[in-house]
Amino acid sequence: MKGSVAPVFMAVLVLGLLMVEPGQGTISCDQVKSSLSPCYTYLTSGGSPSGECCGGLSSLAASAGSPDDRKAACECVKAAARGHSDIREDLAAALPKLCGVQLGKPVSKDVDCSK
């Protein structure tokens, strides 16, 4: 379970920053977890993110194209991240740049998914 929860934290950092309004997104929490699960090792231990991690991040960002989807993904990640302390925020913040994924917002665990 630990490996499936931590990647969700990354998604809130990434997708939650897209400043969306609440709504009914069609993206599921399972999609978020699946896309970001390869990032867990990087997010807890550092080093370089794997190609699978960057591919998952890129794919998730592309599939969460609507405001409702971005909001849903953000909420999935935020819910799973509560109580999970082994994710390093500095590594999460660096991930989009290392993967070449443009988000337009700084990454932070304190993201407000409602904006």
Side-chain angles (χ1 to χ4, degrees):
M1 289 278 101
K2 190 176 190 179
S4 66
V5 174
V8 178
F9 179 76
M10 183 57 214
V12 80
L13 299 176
V14 173
L15 297 174
L17 301 170
L18 298 176
M19 309 296 280
V20 297
E21 294 298 316
Q24 286 79 33
T26 58
I27 196 164
S28 73
C29 289
D30 286 340
Q31 288 172 289
V32 172
K33 289 177 189 178
S34 176
S35 293
L36 296 176
S37 64
C39 299
Y40 180 73
T41 299
Y42 165 77
L43 292 171
T44 57
S45 302
S48 296
S50 68
E52 286 182 325
C53 171
C54 290
L57 179 63
S58 179
S59 176
L60 186 58
S63 67
S66 75
D68 287 346
D69 285 339
R70 291 188 299 266
K71 163 73 172 146
C74 178
E75 293 295 344
C76 289
V77 174
K78 206 165 187 178
R82 289 185 187 109
H84 203 280
S85 63
D86 60 345
I87 298 293
R88 289 182 41 196
E89 189 171 352
D90 61 323
L91 297 175
L95 185 61
K97 183 176 181 179
L98 291 173
C99 289
V101 176
Q102 296 289 328
L103 300 177
K105 301 285 181 190
V107 175
S108 169
K109 70 178 182 177
D110 298 319
V111 66
D112 181 356
C113 295
S114 70
K115 294 182 180 181

